[in-house]
Amino acid sequence: MDGGHPVPSPLVPLGNVSSDSSMSLEQKTTFVFVILLFIFLGILIVRCFRILLDPYRSMPTSTWADGLEGLEKGQFDHALA
């Protein structure tokens, strides 16, 4: 190799290279959005593990027949008419 020509490195982007290494607004927005998605994913994972560990804690204690006033459970189809 002759010493007069520099070999371009694949790690250095060619073209308009600025001296400061700050991110553009689009990169900052994307970075914040990805961080928010990871936080949301973490919350969902924690919630799913809590439901798996104690599934009956999240179930309501009332049944479907509690809202029927004075009707027996077998007479529910008469209340629809």
Side-chain angles (χ1 to χ4, degrees), residues 27-79:
Q27 288 173 334
K28 289 179 185 177
T29 306
T30 306
F31 186 71
V32 169
F33 183 70
V34 168
I35 293 297
L36 288 176
L37 282 178
F38 275 119
I39 291 172
F40 184 67
L41 179 66
I43 290 172
L44 286 180
I45 288 173
V46 168
R47 180 183 165 125
C48 287
F49 273 110
R50 288 179 66 189
I51 290 174
L52 285 175
L53 292 176
D54 191 12
Y56 298 109
R57 180 183 52 87
S58 60
M59 294 177 67
T61 57
S62 62
T63 61
W64 62 272
D66 287 346
L68 302 176
E69 299 169 2
L71 292 177
E72 298 292 326
K73 287 184 181 180
Q75 297 175 346
F76 182 70
D77 45 6
H78 296 293

